[in-house]
Amino acid sequence: MASVIRYHEGIGSVAVIGNYLPRICGIATFTTDLVEALSTEAPGINCWAVAMNDKPEGYAYPEKVRFEINQNRLTDYSVASEFLNISQIDIVCVQHEYGIFGGPAGSHLLKLLGELRMPVVTTLHTVLRDPDPEHREVMRKLSDLSDKLIVMSRKAFDLFEDIYAVPEEKITFIHHGIPDTPFVDPNFYKDQFGVEGKKVLLTFGLLSPNKGIENMLQALPSVTKKHPDVTYIILGATHPHVLKSHGEEYRISLQQLVRKLNISDHVIFQNRFVELKELCEFLGTADIYVTPYLEEAHITSGTLAYAMGTGKAVISTPYWYATEMLAEGRGIIVPFNNPDALAEQIIDLLDNDVNRHTIRKKAYTFCREAIWKEVSRRYLKVFSQVKLERSRHPRPRHSYIENIKSITNFELPEMKLDHLKTLTDDTGILQHATQTIPDRDHGYCIDDNARALMVAAMGRKYLLTDSRCFDSLTSHYLSFLLYAFNVETGRFRDFMTYARQWTEEVGSEDAHGRALWGLGKAVGFLDNSGQLAMSTTLFNQALKAVEHFNAPRGIAFALVGIHAYLHKFSGDSEVRRVREILADRLFNQFKNNATKSWPWLESVLTYANGKLPHALLLSGQWMQRSDMIDMGLRSLKWLLTIQTENGHFVPIGNKGWYEQGGPKARFDQQPIEANAMIEACVEAFNVTRDKTLIDAAVMCFNWFLGHNDLNMSLYDPKTGGCRDGLNADGINQNEGAESSLAWLLSLMALQKLYADEILKQSSSSSTISVEG
């Protein structure tokens, strides 16, 4: 026991953050194995897990999971850090893979880590050679917030030094852990899987298109011609995320290829996720293990480590991890996408028992350092080192963590889509509701379907756990917009009856502008190739008409959509040209009509007022027009002044509006006013970095939640919808599309702000120390 204590001196508790079984993925298997190995090697340490959930209901976890995080709910990360701090954990060990954490490039994790008081050790399961700016920034800050980084390949070590400029002393190499299995003859287990007397080739792991199994199948006819007793087992369920987005498309394509090549008698598909004991038995049957991946950018592979650890002769394409692990005769490398080379090497190994067994022994011997007993000891040693180092040298807290906390200190409600789905049928979203029941009498309009498209497109990016739902909703709303576009006039129709009859051939400029706004947002956020192509095409078709628009709100809506479009396709010179025309027109309307006491382009304030300064702020930034920015800020701050009383938001009422020199209508107050102001305040903050504008956005958001003239909440937490307005005699209890979408867009605007700010904040250090 004394020799074990040295590995974890001073460590009483460890929390490991990552996915956890029974969630099906490689990170879950790794995290589970690591927690169990640490607990076995050091039973005196209280080792448990914080599990990341990709669905709201979570999973039926074992007792080792003490805390769960909904990966897309930012507030969960703060609560988790508070829980870990209260629990006085000695070490937090993060299993990092970008996709298992919420926010752009998994940036929500940074908020959790920045609020921890104990040392952090991060195991990196992905290291990108050519990261985009978001992924680079997340990795850079993750490195800042970690006391030690653990990599599982020498290649990852080099990438970190060369690309991310992380000092060598901060990085530690530890093998990918594997079970300790005996070196057995492959024939030992073959009878229980029905392959006795066969030569078995095996590939296992969660199925996805980047695995390259089609190349192995194309190699098989040549192999079976020389060795007709060969069976190829493809073991593993389809990856859950692939299953959500593409179904069994890849597996079906492989099965069709098997039939086409007439090799059905030689291929066995095992479409399931197997437990460790059965996995090791499957591995035991294999004479040759194959990993025919399509790309080199795989920094680690648990399946390859397992295969080598059970003493398999491995043939692989030259992805990074394989090249490193199979060096010095521990396996055979073949070129990417080369079935002939695969077949040649498989035949050679099957022909040469001595060579095959030599490779097996070299792989098995090399991997003795990677068994979980040895790996857990290495982790415990690292934990002790960072704990000791933190006690001697308290780590400075980075000032961006304090900035993030000051911006994201308002807790946002969870997004609920029940009412959105209730209002949506196979045509689109219905305009109105009686109470919470869809009202078919009023049919549909382009405005609401454009707003709904924005919600679906942004939700697809920021709420990935419900991606199939968002894909379906996006298709419904896009289809409505496509049908609404009148090719002959180049304009959108607006109102449609429930009988699917248009009530006019040309809608208003405002409606057309709002449709462009929705399409621009769709282009900016969608990654479904078909939906993106349709959105882009329709956007460009509809853009032609707006060049001659004069209605200021129609222009403003279009400009916001144009900026979202240009965020994706910034080089589109025609769209840039139209933006300049519209921005100048809107600015000149302000310039020619605004006065010191009434800095507005019209003599009356009506609806969606915040969208006009929002459009000026966006245009001014990207056209480098400080006069536009100044006008946008001036008019927005004026709107805030005249619509704030006693610390709460009082939007201009729609029963009389607000004419210059006249009284302000107090009621009815509409949700779209709060939404327009929230989005404008967020953009103004992006321009100025003035945090009072975040306070203003939150004030407008709180109007939905009851901080208003009547102290009554318009948001309905039961349905996820929003009531239609604040009237003098109470709340309008109907939950129509416009109000419910205004709520959802407002909530998304603040969610996006919070996620973006975690990435934007400067990482310069302050002198605040963090005690271990």
Side-chain angles (χ1 to χ4, degrees):
M1 179 62 70
S3 63
V4 176
I5 292 175
R6 289 199 301 269
Y7 290 113
H8 54 86
E9 186 175 351
I11 304 295
S13 55
V14 175
V16 184
I17 301 175
N19 297 349
Y20 210 90
L21 294 176
R23 180 173 175 180
I24 298 175
C25 75
I27 302 292
T29 301
F30 185 96
T31 306
T32 304
D33 289 346
L34 176 60
V35 169
E36 293 297 331
L38 291 170
S39 300
T40 300
E41 183 62 20
I45 289 180
N46 181 18
C47 183
W48 47 271
V50 175
M52 303 302 304
N53 287 331
D54 62 347
K55 56 183 184 179
E57 66 271 24
Y59 297 85
Y61 293 117
E63 290 183 358
K64 281 291 185 182
V65 173
R66 290 272 309 280
F67 199 89
E68 300 174 41
I69 297 174
N70 181 326
Q71 69 179 49
N72 290 308
R73 189 187 298 147
L74 184 59
T75 53
D76 278 16
Y77 292 80
S78 290
V79 175
S81 63
E82 184 179 10
F83 182 80
L84 290 164
N85 287 332
I86 291 172
S87 300
Q88 297 185 323
I89 295 297
D90 290 308
I91 296 288
V92 166
C93 182
V94 178
Q95 302 309 305
H96 183 263
E97 168 69 59
Y98 292 104
I100 72 171
F101 303 105
S107 56
H108 283 1
L109 174 66
L110 303 178
K111 183 171 175 62
L112 187 161
L113 299 185
E115 296 173 7
L116 294 178
R117 294 197 293 265
M118 69 290 294
V120 175
V121 175
T122 300
T123 305
L124 299 160
H125 293 260
T126 295
V127 181
L128 301 176
R129 181 176 60 184
D130 300 304
D132 60 33
E134 283 186 348
H135 286 83
R136 182 188 295 273
E137 190 65 10
V138 166
M139 187 56 71
R140 187 173 68 82
K141 290 178 178 174
L142 179 63
S143 173
D144 287 346
L145 294 168
S146 300
D147 295 75
K148 187 72 76 173
L149 300 171
I150 293 175
V151 297
M152 291 176 279
S153 69
R154 305 292 178 184
K155 177 70 175 180
F157 202 108
D158 295 339
L159 287 174
F160 252 95
E161 285 192 281
D162 297 342
I163 295 172
Y164 299 95
V166 177
E168 180 180 349
E169 60 271 15
K170 195 165 194 174
I171 312 168
T172 295
F173 168 80
I174 301 178
H175 274 294
H176 189 298
I178 58 172
D180 188 3
T181 59
F183 187 78
V184 299
D185 188 300
N187 293 311
F188 186 80
Y189 291 110
K190 287 183 179 180
D191 59 331
Q192 70 187 67
F193 295 108
V195 289
E196 191 172 13
K198 303 284 189 180
K199 295 184 177 74
V200 177
L201 314 179
L202 175 68
T203 297
F204 89 88
L206 294 172
L207 212 60
S208 59
N210 65 342
K211 296 299 176 67
I213 292 172
E214 62 274 14
N215 288 318
M216 180 57 229
L217 293 175
Q218 289 167 355
L220 205 55
S222 298
V223 175
T224 57
K225 185 176 180 181
K226 182 71 182 294
H227 293 275
D229 57 346
V230 160
T231 294
Y232 178 38
I233 299 175
I234 302 167
L235 172 63
T238 300
H239 195 290
H241 290 165
V242 173
L243 199 59
K244 280 184 179 180
S245 55
H246 300 288
E248 289 287 12
E249 179 182 346
Y250 183 57
R251 184 181 299 277
I252 291 169
S253 73
L254 296 178
Q255 292 167 339
Q256 290 174 333
L257 181 59
V258 167
R259 287 190 288 271
K260 179 181 178 182
L261 296 172
N262 197 26
I263 53 175
S264 298
D265 292 340
H266 301 277
V267 179
I268 298 174
F269 286 93
Q270 290 280 354
N271 183 8
R272 56 201 180 93
F273 185 82
V274 295
E275 299 294 334
L276 177 61
K277 180 179 181 295
E278 189 178 8
L279 172 59
C280 291
E281 291 171 353
F282 263 109
L283 281 166
T285 68
D287 295 280
I288 297 174
Y289 185 77
V290 185
T291 57
Y293 294 176
L294 299 179
E295 301 169 345
E296 67 174 356
H298 295 271
I299 206 66
T300 186
S301 169
T303 62
L304 177 60
Y306 274 42
M308 293 179 69
T310 52
K312 298 296 104 180
V314 178
I315 298 177
S316 176
T317 51
Y319 57 93
W320 293 331
Y321 190 65
T323 301
E324 186 175 309
M325 292 290 285
L326 301 180
E328 300 178 2
R330 295 187 293 268
I332 293 175
I333 296 291
V334 297
F336 291 112
N337 295 303
N338 195 328
D340 291 340
L342 262 175
E344 180 182 344
Q345 292 300 329
I346 291 169
I347 292 168
D348 183 66
L349 276 188
L350 291 176
D351 287 342
N352 192 333
D353 291 347
V354 173
N355 188 28
R356 189 170 73 252
H357 291 307
T358 299
I359 291 173
R360 290 183 61 214
K361 290 175 183 176
K362 285 184 177 181
Y364 186 81
T365 303
F366 177 77
C367 287
R368 292 310 86 203
E369 295 180 2
I371 63 172
W372 276 114
K373 182 179 182 65
E374 297 300 326
V375 166
S376 62
R377 287 181 173 181
R378 291 288 310 279
Y379 269 86
L380 290 167
K381 185 176 181 180
V382 170
F383 295 164
S384 292
Q385 289 171 344
V386 298
K387 175 74 171 174
L388 179 62
E389 180 67 18
R390 177 69 75 88
S391 67
R392 292 174 175 173
H393 305 286
R395 186 186 68 186
R397 171 169 290 182
H398 294 283
S399 60
Y400 70 84
I401 295 300
E402 297 305 315
N403 292 337
I404 289 168
K405 289 175 70 174
S406 69
I407 292 167
T408 63
N409 60 0
F410 175 73
E411 183 173 339
L412 297 172
E414 186 174 358
M415 182 163 294
K416 191 171 185 179
L417 301 173
D418 295 20
H419 193 55
L420 176 70
K421 295 175 185 177
T422 297
L423 290 173
T424 301
D425 62 15
D426 59 354
T427 299
I429 190 167
L430 289 153
Q431 284 192 80
H432 295 294
T434 301
Q435 302 281 327
T436 60
I437 309 303
D439 182 352
R440 291 175 169 83
D441 281 346
H442 296 90
Y444 316 84
C445 70
I446 192 78
D447 307 85
D448 291 334
N449 279 276
R451 294 186 186 101
L453 176 60
M454 288 186 251
V455 169
M458 291 177 69
R460 179 66 179 84
K461 182 175 179 67
Y462 286 95
L463 297 171
L464 296 176
T465 54
D466 206 10
S467 59
R468 284 183 296 181
C469 160
F470 284 119
D471 275 344
S472 175
L473 291 171
T474 298
S475 292
H476 277 82
Y477 307 137
L478 263 179
S479 177
F480 187 93
L481 265 65
L482 179 65
Y483 188 51
F485 187 66
N486 188 330
V487 178
E488 293 180 2
T489 64
R491 293 285 296 274
F492 285 101
R493 305 173 180 96
D494 193 354
F495 296 102
M496 175 192 276
T497 68
Y498 186 67
R500 296 184 177 179
Q501 299 297 315
W502 293 109
T503 62
E504 83 281 88
E505 287 303 309
V506 177
S508 67
E509 290 187 3
D510 284 12
H512 193 99
R514 195 173 277 113
L516 271 177
W517 176 17
L519 287 167
K521 288 285 188 180
V523 171
F525 285 103
L526 289 176
D527 54 13
N528 178 300
S529 58
Q531 294 172 348
L532 176 59
M534 177 181 284
S535 301
T536 303
T537 301
L538 190 54
F539 179 92
N540 282 287
Q541 288 177 327
L543 184 69
K544 298 171 185 176
V546 302
E547 189 173 338
H548 306 291
F549 279 12
N550 286 299
R553 285 162 186 79
I555 292 172
F557 297 150
L559 279 170
V560 177
I562 284 171
H563 283 283
Y565 173 94
L566 288 173
H567 188 72
K568 175 69 72 72
F569 299 119
S570 58
D572 192 324
S573 55
E574 174 62 14
V575 177
R576 291 161 67 99
R577 183 187 69 81
V578 174
R579 174 183 65 182
E580 186 169 348
I581 291 171
L582 293 181
D584 278 332
R585 187 171 298 151
L586 183 64
F587 175 72
N588 286 331
Q589 289 178 350
F590 269 94
K591 185 178 178 182
N592 294 335
N593 293 284
T595 65
K596 186 174 182 180
S597 61
W598 187 267
W600 199 243
L601 75 174
E602 298 169 315
S603 60
V604 59
L605 276 172
T606 57
Y607 72 98
N609 298 307
K611 198 53 59 184
L612 279 70
H614 186 186
L616 287 178
L617 290 167
L618 282 168
S619 301
Q621 287 176 82
W622 299 110
M623 293 170 61
Q624 298 184 330
R625 289 279 300 273
S626 59
D627 52 350
M628 284 186 185
I629 293 174
D630 291 344
M631 183 66 77
L633 290 173
R634 179 184 167 200
S635 58
L636 176 62
K637 291 177 179 179
W638 176 70
L639 288 175
L640 283 169
T641 299
I642 64 172
Q643 295 182 109
T644 301
E645 291 187 24
N646 300 318
H648 70 266
F649 181 56
V650 185
I652 302 299
N654 66 2
K655 289 188 173 178
W657 303 117
Y658 180 22
E659 291 192 25
Q660 186 175 3
K664 282 187 291 184
R666 192 81 177 194
F667 297 100
D668 295 341
Q669 298 176 18
Q670 301 293 301
I672 60 166
E673 302 306 321
N675 171 237
M677 290 298 290
I678 289 165
E679 293 181 351
C681 287
V682 167
E683 193 55 44
F685 167 73
N686 290 335
V687 175
T688 64
R689 311 305 295 173
D690 179 355
K691 291 178 184 175
T692 63
L693 289 162
I694 298 299
D695 296 336
V698 170
M699 177 190 71
C700 295
F701 185 80
N702 277 329
W703 177 86
F704 288 103
L705 301 177
H707 195 197
N708 52 48
D709 278 346
L710 302 183
N711 291 323
M712 299 176 71
S713 176
L714 286 89
Y715 169 54
D716 182 351
K718 183 177 180 180
T719 67
C722 178
R723 299 171 180 96
D724 277 351
L726 207 62
N727 304 340
D729 58 352
I731 296 282
N732 181 336
Q733 294 294 334
N734 299 329
E735 296 182 17
E738 180 180 276
S739 55
S740 295
L741 291 164
W743 158 258
L744 290 172
L745 287 168
S746 299
L747 180 55
M748 282 184 164
L750 292 185
Q751 286 179 333
K752 183 178 183 301
L753 169 73
Y754 285 14
D756 290 347
E757 282 308 305
I758 292 172
L759 280 175
K760 284 181 181 178
Q761 291 297 329
S762 167
S763 60
S764 58
S765 298
S766 73
T767 57
I768 304 171
S769 65
V770 180
E771 296 180 358

